[in-house]
Amino acid sequence: MTSRLFEQFKLNDTITLNNRILMAPLTRCMADDELVPTEAMVAYYARRADAGLIISEATIIRPDAQGYPNTPGLFTQAQIDGWKNVTRAVHNAGGKIFAQLWHVGRVAHPFFFGEGDVLAPSAIGIEGTVPRMRDLQYQTPKAATLSEIKQLVDDYAQAAKNAIEAGFDGVEIHGANGYLIDQFLHYTSNQRTDEYGETPENMSRFALEVVEAVSAAIGAQRVGLRLSPGAYFNMEPDQKDKAVFDYLLAKLSLQDLAFVHVGIFDDSMQFEHLGGRASDYMRQHYNGTLVGVGGFTPQTATQALDDKRFDLVAIGRPFIANPDYVSKVKNQQPLTEYSEEMLAQLI
Protein backbone atom coordinates (compact mmCIF):
# COMPACT_ATOMS: atom_id res chain seq x y z
CA MET A 1 0.00 0.00 0.00
CA THR A 2 2.88 2.39 0.72
CA SER A 3 5.42 1.06 -1.77
CA ARG A 4 5.69 4.27 -3.81
CA LEU A 5 7.12 6.01 -0.77
CA PHE A 6 10.16 3.75 -0.94
CA GLU A 7 11.03 4.18 -4.60
CA GLN A 8 14.37 5.80 -5.37
CA PHE A 9 13.94 9.28 -6.83
CA LYS A 10 16.43 11.05 -9.06
CA LEU A 11 16.31 14.72 -8.19
CA ASN A 12 18.71 15.49 -11.02
CA ASP A 13 22.09 14.43 -12.41
CA THR A 14 23.69 15.37 -9.10
CA ILE A 15 21.47 13.82 -6.41
CA THR A 16 19.46 10.58 -6.17
CA LEU A 17 17.33 9.94 -3.08
CA ASN A 18 16.88 6.50 -1.51
CA ASN A 19 13.13 7.09 -1.12
CA ARG A 20 10.48 9.77 -1.63
CA ILE A 21 10.15 10.67 2.06
CA LEU A 22 11.70 13.94 3.20
CA MET A 23 12.14 15.00 6.79
CA ALA A 24 10.59 18.46 6.93
CA PRO A 25 12.46 21.38 8.54
CA LEU A 26 11.58 21.43 12.23
CA THR A 27 12.64 24.37 14.42
CA ARG A 28 13.93 22.92 17.71
CA CYS A 29 15.96 25.81 19.24
CA MET A 30 18.68 23.44 20.48
CA ALA A 31 21.90 25.14 19.31
CA ASP A 32 24.26 26.49 21.97
CA ASP A 33 24.55 30.15 22.92
CA GLU A 34 26.89 30.80 19.98
CA LEU A 35 24.31 29.19 17.68
CA VAL A 36 26.63 26.22 17.08
CA PRO A 37 25.03 22.78 16.56
CA THR A 38 25.47 20.51 19.58
CA GLU A 39 26.35 16.84 19.95
CA ALA A 40 22.71 16.18 20.79
CA MET A 41 21.82 17.60 17.37
CA VAL A 42 24.39 15.32 15.74
CA ALA A 43 22.66 12.28 17.22
CA TYR A 44 19.19 13.69 16.45
CA TYR A 45 19.83 14.04 12.73
CA ALA A 46 21.81 10.80 12.39
CA ARG A 47 18.88 8.82 13.84
CA ARG A 48 16.69 10.11 11.00
CA ALA A 49 19.10 9.47 8.12
CA ASP A 50 16.76 6.85 6.60
CA ALA A 51 14.75 9.72 5.12
CA GLY A 52 15.38 10.16 1.42
CA LEU A 53 16.45 13.71 2.28
CA ILE A 54 16.62 15.63 5.54
CA ILE A 55 15.88 19.34 5.40
CA SER A 56 17.61 20.84 8.41
CA GLU A 57 15.92 23.10 10.89
CA ALA A 58 15.89 26.69 9.65
CA THR A 59 19.41 28.10 9.96
CA ILE A 60 20.12 31.81 10.03
CA ILE A 61 22.40 33.39 7.43
CA ARG A 62 23.68 36.28 9.58
CA PRO A 63 23.18 37.70 13.09
CA ASP A 64 20.21 40.00 12.36
CA ALA A 65 18.31 37.09 10.82
CA GLN A 66 17.43 35.68 14.26
CA GLY A 67 13.95 35.76 15.75
CA TYR A 68 13.91 32.66 17.97
CA PRO A 69 16.28 31.58 20.78
CA ASN A 70 19.10 29.11 20.10
CA THR A 71 18.47 28.68 16.39
CA PRO A 72 21.66 27.53 14.63
CA GLY A 73 23.63 29.72 12.26
CA LEU A 74 25.83 29.29 9.20
CA PHE A 75 27.88 32.48 9.30
CA THR A 76 30.82 31.71 11.64
CA GLN A 77 33.54 29.10 11.35
CA ALA A 78 32.47 27.54 14.64
CA GLN A 79 28.94 27.09 13.29
CA ILE A 80 30.26 25.60 10.04
CA ASP A 81 32.44 23.19 12.03
CA GLY A 82 29.51 22.24 14.23
CA TRP A 83 27.39 21.43 11.19
CA LYS A 84 30.26 19.32 9.81
CA ASN A 85 29.69 16.93 12.71
CA VAL A 86 26.00 16.70 11.80
CA THR A 87 26.48 16.14 8.07
CA ARG A 88 29.25 13.59 8.67
CA ALA A 89 26.98 11.58 10.97
CA VAL A 90 24.10 11.70 8.48
CA HIS A 91 26.32 10.64 5.60
CA ASN A 92 27.90 7.85 7.65
CA ALA A 93 24.36 6.56 8.25
CA GLY A 94 23.66 6.59 4.50
CA GLY A 95 21.54 9.74 4.40
CA LYS A 96 21.46 13.08 2.60
CA ILE A 97 20.83 16.49 4.12
CA PHE A 98 20.10 20.03 2.88
CA ALA A 99 20.51 23.14 5.03
CA GLN A 100 17.49 25.43 5.17
CA LEU A 101 18.73 29.02 4.87
CA TRP A 102 16.74 31.54 6.89
CA HIS A 103 16.30 35.24 7.51
CA VAL A 104 13.17 36.05 9.48
CA GLY A 105 12.93 39.72 8.39
CA ARG A 106 10.40 41.64 10.49
CA VAL A 107 10.09 38.70 12.89
CA ALA A 108 13.68 39.34 14.07
CA HIS A 109 14.46 40.99 17.41
CA PRO A 110 17.53 43.03 18.47
CA PHE A 111 17.64 41.09 21.72
CA PHE A 112 19.48 38.41 19.75
CA PHE A 113 21.94 40.53 17.78
CA GLY A 114 22.44 43.75 19.76
CA GLU A 115 22.15 47.20 18.26
CA GLY A 116 20.88 47.43 14.73
CA ASP A 117 17.74 47.58 12.68
CA VAL A 118 15.14 44.92 12.09
CA LEU A 119 14.98 44.78 8.29
CA ALA A 120 11.94 44.06 6.12
CA PRO A 121 10.58 45.13 2.73
CA SER A 122 8.49 47.86 4.37
CA ALA A 123 8.16 49.47 7.79
CA ILE A 124 5.14 47.33 8.67
CA GLY A 125 5.34 45.39 11.90
CA ILE A 126 3.36 42.48 13.29
CA GLU A 127 1.59 42.12 16.61
CA GLY A 128 2.75 39.76 19.31
CA THR A 129 5.82 38.57 21.13
CA VAL A 130 8.84 36.41 20.39
CA PRO A 131 8.09 32.69 20.83
CA ARG A 132 9.52 31.22 24.04
CA MET A 133 10.39 34.79 25.16
CA ARG A 134 6.98 36.32 25.72
CA ASP A 135 8.33 39.49 27.34
CA LEU A 136 9.83 40.61 24.00
CA GLN A 137 7.41 42.54 21.84
CA TYR A 138 7.98 42.64 18.08
CA GLN A 139 9.34 45.93 16.78
CA THR A 140 8.41 47.97 13.74
CA PRO A 141 11.04 47.11 11.12
CA LYS A 142 13.00 49.41 8.86
CA ALA A 143 12.41 49.21 5.12
CA ALA A 144 15.63 47.80 3.67
CA THR A 145 17.56 50.12 1.37
CA LEU A 146 18.70 48.98 -2.07
CA SER A 147 22.25 48.52 -0.78
CA GLU A 148 20.97 46.49 2.19
CA ILE A 149 18.95 44.30 -0.19
CA LYS A 150 22.05 43.68 -2.29
CA GLN A 151 23.97 42.72 0.85
CA LEU A 152 21.21 40.32 1.88
CA VAL A 153 21.41 38.60 -1.51
CA ASP A 154 25.18 38.28 -1.12
CA ASP A 155 24.77 36.89 2.40
CA TYR A 156 22.36 34.19 1.22
CA ALA A 157 24.95 33.15 -1.38
CA GLN A 158 27.73 33.12 1.22
CA ALA A 159 25.60 31.03 3.59
CA ALA A 160 25.07 28.53 0.76
CA LYS A 161 28.82 28.31 0.23
CA ASN A 162 29.23 27.83 3.98
CA ALA A 163 26.67 25.02 3.87
CA ILE A 164 28.64 23.18 1.21
CA GLU A 165 31.83 23.68 3.24
CA ALA A 166 29.93 22.20 6.20
CA GLY A 167 29.18 19.08 4.17
CA PHE A 168 25.54 19.62 3.25
CA ASP A 169 24.37 18.07 -0.01
CA GLY A 170 22.56 21.29 -0.89
CA VAL A 171 20.34 24.02 0.54
CA GLU A 172 16.68 24.90 0.74
CA ILE A 173 16.04 28.65 0.68
CA HIS A 174 13.30 29.48 3.18
CA GLY A 175 10.98 31.71 1.17
CA ALA A 176 7.80 30.87 3.07
CA ASN A 177 5.77 31.25 6.26
CA GLY A 178 5.93 35.00 6.75
CA TYR A 179 9.73 35.37 6.89
CA LEU A 180 11.92 37.78 4.91
CA ILE A 181 11.60 36.47 1.35
CA ASP A 182 7.90 35.78 1.83
CA GLN A 183 7.43 39.33 3.11
CA PHE A 184 8.51 40.64 -0.30
CA LEU A 185 5.91 38.43 -2.02
CA HIS A 186 2.74 39.68 -0.32
CA TYR A 187 1.01 43.02 -0.63
CA THR A 188 0.20 43.32 3.08
CA SER A 189 3.90 43.28 3.97
CA ASN A 190 5.42 44.86 0.84
CA GLN A 191 4.32 48.43 0.14
CA ARG A 192 7.48 49.53 -1.61
CA THR A 193 7.28 51.83 -4.63
CA ASP A 194 10.71 51.03 -6.11
CA GLU A 195 11.90 48.08 -8.20
CA TYR A 196 11.05 45.67 -5.35
CA GLY A 197 7.38 46.62 -4.96
CA GLU A 198 3.96 47.31 -6.53
CA THR A 199 4.00 44.77 -9.40
CA PRO A 200 4.36 40.96 -9.53
CA GLU A 201 7.66 41.32 -11.39
CA ASN A 202 9.07 43.74 -8.84
CA MET A 203 7.77 41.88 -5.80
CA SER A 204 9.32 38.63 -7.10
CA ARG A 205 12.67 40.28 -7.76
CA PHE A 206 14.27 39.65 -4.35
CA ALA A 207 13.29 35.97 -4.28
CA LEU A 208 14.62 35.46 -7.79
CA GLU A 209 17.84 37.34 -7.04
CA VAL A 210 18.44 35.13 -4.01
CA VAL A 211 17.73 31.96 -5.99
CA GLU A 212 20.03 33.06 -8.81
CA ALA A 213 22.85 34.10 -6.47
CA VAL A 214 22.67 30.86 -4.47
CA SER A 215 22.49 28.81 -7.68
CA ALA A 216 25.54 30.62 -9.05
CA ALA A 217 27.39 29.93 -5.78
CA ILE A 218 26.75 26.18 -5.45
CA GLY A 219 24.87 25.03 -8.58
CA ALA A 220 21.12 25.13 -9.17
CA GLN A 221 20.79 21.35 -8.83
CA ARG A 222 21.71 21.70 -5.16
CA VAL A 223 19.10 24.40 -4.49
CA GLY A 224 15.50 24.06 -3.32
CA LEU A 225 13.02 26.78 -2.40
CA ARG A 226 10.10 26.78 0.02
CA LEU A 227 7.11 29.00 -0.81
CA SER A 228 3.76 29.94 0.79
CA PRO A 229 1.37 31.34 -1.85
CA GLY A 230 -1.41 31.12 0.73
CA ALA A 231 -0.62 33.77 3.36
CA TYR A 232 -1.63 32.63 6.82
CA PHE A 233 1.37 32.63 9.21
CA ASN A 234 2.37 36.13 10.43
CA MET A 235 0.77 37.35 7.21
CA GLU A 236 -2.66 38.48 6.00
CA PRO A 237 -3.72 37.36 2.51
CA ASP A 238 -4.52 39.70 -0.36
CA GLN A 239 -6.34 38.71 -3.54
CA LYS A 240 -3.56 40.37 -5.55
CA ASP A 241 -0.94 37.96 -4.17
CA LYS A 242 -1.90 35.30 -6.70
CA ALA A 243 -0.50 37.35 -9.58
CA VAL A 244 2.84 37.57 -7.78
CA PHE A 245 3.08 33.81 -7.41
CA ASP A 246 1.82 33.23 -10.96
CA TYR A 247 4.80 35.26 -12.17
CA LEU A 248 7.31 33.81 -9.70
CA LEU A 249 6.44 30.16 -10.31
CA ALA A 250 6.61 30.66 -14.08
CA LYS A 251 10.11 32.08 -13.72
CA LEU A 252 11.17 29.27 -11.36
CA SER A 253 9.93 26.69 -13.87
CA LEU A 254 12.64 27.89 -16.25
CA GLN A 255 15.40 27.13 -13.73
CA ASP A 256 17.00 23.78 -13.01
CA LEU A 257 16.31 23.72 -9.28
CA ALA A 258 16.35 20.58 -7.15
CA PHE A 259 12.75 21.21 -6.04
CA VAL A 260 10.14 23.65 -4.83
CA HIS A 261 8.65 22.86 -1.41
CA VAL A 262 5.09 23.75 -0.39
CA GLY A 263 5.21 25.90 2.76
CA ILE A 264 1.95 24.84 4.36
CA PHE A 265 1.47 23.30 7.81
CA ASP A 266 -1.90 21.74 6.89
CA ASP A 267 -2.36 20.71 3.27
CA SER A 268 -6.14 20.63 3.64
CA MET A 269 -6.30 24.42 4.08
CA GLN A 270 -8.33 26.23 1.42
CA PHE A 271 -7.33 29.63 0.02
CA GLU A 272 -10.02 31.52 -1.88
CA HIS A 273 -7.59 33.56 -3.97
CA LEU A 274 -5.79 30.38 -5.08
CA GLY A 275 -8.95 28.45 -5.87
CA GLY A 276 -8.43 25.83 -3.15
CA ARG A 277 -5.32 24.16 -1.75
CA ALA A 278 -2.00 26.01 -2.13
CA SER A 279 -0.33 22.74 -3.11
CA ASP A 280 -2.72 22.15 -6.01
CA TYR A 281 -2.17 25.70 -7.18
CA MET A 282 1.62 25.19 -7.09
CA ARG A 283 1.38 21.89 -8.96
CA GLN A 284 -0.57 23.68 -11.69
CA HIS A 285 1.92 26.55 -12.01
CA TYR A 286 5.30 24.89 -11.40
CA ASN A 287 6.58 22.15 -13.72
CA GLY A 288 9.60 20.98 -11.72
CA THR A 289 9.90 18.61 -8.77
CA LEU A 290 7.34 19.53 -6.11
CA VAL A 291 7.54 18.56 -2.44
CA GLY A 292 4.26 18.30 -0.54
CA VAL A 293 3.87 18.72 3.21
CA GLY A 294 1.17 19.30 5.78
CA GLY A 295 -0.27 16.54 7.93
CA PHE A 296 0.20 13.52 5.67
CA THR A 297 -0.06 9.95 6.92
CA PRO A 298 1.75 7.14 5.10
CA GLN A 299 -1.52 6.28 3.41
CA THR A 300 -2.46 9.82 2.33
CA ALA A 301 1.13 10.51 1.26
CA THR A 302 1.08 7.43 -0.95
CA GLN A 303 -2.24 8.49 -2.44
CA ALA A 304 -0.87 11.98 -3.17
CA LEU A 305 2.09 10.43 -5.00
CA ASP A 306 -0.19 8.07 -6.91
CA ASP A 307 -2.35 11.04 -7.92
CA LYS A 308 0.79 12.93 -9.03
CA ARG A 309 -0.03 15.82 -6.73
CA PHE A 310 3.59 15.72 -5.57
CA ASP A 311 6.85 14.04 -6.49
CA LEU A 312 8.10 13.87 -2.90
CA VAL A 313 6.39 14.18 0.49
CA ALA A 314 7.89 15.83 3.58
CA ILE A 315 6.96 14.57 7.04
CA GLY A 316 7.29 16.80 10.08
CA ARG A 317 6.05 16.07 13.60
CA PRO A 318 5.86 12.28 13.12
CA PHE A 319 9.64 12.38 12.58
CA ILE A 320 10.05 14.01 16.00
CA ALA A 321 8.07 11.22 17.63
CA ASN A 322 9.57 8.46 15.49
CA PRO A 323 13.29 8.74 14.70
CA ASP A 324 12.85 5.42 12.84
CA TYR A 325 9.81 6.68 10.92
CA VAL A 326 10.89 5.27 7.55
CA SER A 327 11.63 1.82 8.95
CA LYS A 328 8.36 1.70 10.90
CA VAL A 329 6.27 2.65 7.87
CA LYS A 330 8.13 0.25 5.60
CA ASN A 331 7.58 -2.61 8.05
CA GLN A 332 3.99 -1.56 8.84
CA GLN A 333 4.75 -1.02 12.51
CA PRO A 334 2.65 1.34 14.66
CA LEU A 335 3.86 4.93 14.91
CA THR A 336 4.33 6.74 18.21
CA GLU A 337 1.91 9.65 18.42
CA TYR A 338 3.47 13.12 18.54
CA SER A 339 2.93 15.24 21.67
CA GLU A 340 3.93 18.79 22.53
CA GLU A 341 6.10 17.52 25.39
CA MET A 342 8.48 16.07 22.80
CA LEU A 343 9.49 19.59 21.75
CA ALA A 344 11.37 20.02 25.01
CA GLN A 345 13.93 17.35 24.19
CA LEU A 346 15.88 15.92 21.30
CA ILE A 347 15.12 12.24 20.87
Side-chain angles (χ1 to χ4, degrees):
M1 181 172 57
T2 57
S3 60
R4 283 183 62 80
L5 290 172
F6 305 103
E7 295 174 346
Q8 279 196 341
F9 185 84
K10 188 174 182 179
L11 271 182
N12 46 49
D13 294 337
T14 304
I15 300 171
T16 297
L17 308 182
N18 289 333
N19 55 66
R20 292 175 183 251
I21 301 171
L22 274 62
M23 177 176 158
L26 295 157
T27 299
R28 303 302 305 275
C29 300
M30 291 290 187
D32 70 16
D33 290 341
E34 300 300 320
L35 310 187
V36 174
T38 61
E39 285 302 312
M41 290 168 62
V42 174
Y44 169 80
Y45 283 107
R47 290 189 192 106
R48 291 155 174 86
D50 283 349
L53 177 66
I54 294 172
I55 309 295
S56 82
E57 61 205 278
T59 302
I60 61 175
I61 63 169
R62 63 188 216 180
D64 72 345
Q66 187 175 0
Y68 298 76
N70 297 99
T71 51
L74 255 174
F75 55 88
T76 71
Q77 192 60 51
Q79 292 162 1
I80 293 170
D81 291 342
W83 278 118
K84 285 180 180 178
N85 296 328
V86 173
T87 60
R88 186 182 305 114
V90 170
H91 291 151
N92 286 344
K96 291 183 172 66
I97 182 169
F98 274 29
Q100 190 186 63
L101 304 183
W102 198 26
H103 192 301
V104 302
R106 65 181 182 178
V107 188
H109 199 286
F111 173 86
F112 298 114
F113 54 87
E115 295 183 2
D117 295 311
V118 174
L119 295 180
S122 300
I124 303 170
I126 60 171
E127 298 294 327
T129 58
V130 175
R132 307 190 186 202
M133 305 184 76
R134 296 302 181 185
D135 56 332
L136 295 179
Q137 295 281 336
Y138 286 122
Q139 300 189 358
T140 301
K142 170 194 166 186
T145 65
L146 294 182
S147 62
E148 287 169 334
I149 290 174
K150 182 181 183 302
Q151 187 61 57
L152 282 162
V153 173
D154 291 344
D155 289 339
Y156 272 102
Q158 184 59 55
K161 293 177 183 178
N162 293 347
I164 299 303
E165 179 185 343
F168 285 98
D169 298 286
V171 303
E172 176 179 280
I173 301 164
H174 198 341
N177 305 130
Y179 300 119
L180 180 63
I181 293 174
D182 197 37
Q183 291 160 25
F184 276 88
L185 298 172
H186 295 275
Y187 280 91
T188 56
S189 53
N190 182 351
Q191 297 181 9
R192 301 178 73 97
T193 58
D194 61 7
E195 60 261 49
Y196 289 94
E198 294 191 300
T199 69
E201 180 180 2
N202 288 347
M203 293 171 68
S204 298
R205 191 181 307 278
F206 180 61
L208 290 170
E209 286 180 347
V210 171
V211 168
E212 289 161 5
V214 170
S215 296
I218 67 171
Q221 293 193 338
R222 296 190 181 277
V223 179
L225 174 65
R226 194 176 202 199
L227 292 174
S228 294
Y232 67 101
F233 186 71
N234 288 331
M235 187 77 69
E236 291 297 321
D238 188 300
Q239 295 291 325
K240 300 188 297 293
D241 290 347
K242 180 179 181 297
V244 179
F245 284 92
D246 286 353
Y247 177 87
L248 176 60
L249 290 167
K251 287 293 185 182
L252 293 171
S253 292
L254 301 176
Q255 304 197 33
D256 190 24
L257 299 179
F259 56 81
V260 167
H261 187 174
V262 180
I264 297 293
F265 302 143
D266 180 356
D267 186 63
S268 68
M269 291 181 68
Q270 302 288 310
F271 298 94
E272 181 180 353
H273 68 292
L274 301 179
R277 291 181 296 203
S279 56
D280 293 337
Y281 162 80
M282 291 174 71
R283 174 92 283 181
Q284 182 181 359
H285 287 81
Y286 179 68
N287 63 17
T289 297
L290 186 65
V291 179
V293 74
F296 286 95
T297 67
Q299 293 75 27
T300 59
T302 299
Q303 189 63 55
L305 295 176
D306 287 342
D307 293 342
K308 302 189 184 305
R309 293 187 57 226
F310 311 113
D311 303 290
L312 303 162
V313 178
I315 302 298
R317 289 177 171 178
F319 253 120
I320 295 177
N322 301 272
D324 52 351
Y325 177 87
V326 173
S327 175
K328 280 185 174 179
V329 174
K330 193 171 188 178
N331 294 306
Q332 299 185 18
Q333 296 173 337
L335 294 171
T336 300
E337 187 173 351
Y338 168 84
S339 67
E340 292 294 329
E341 289 75 21
M342 294 175 179
L343 284 175
Q345 56 183 329
L346 285 176
I347 58 175

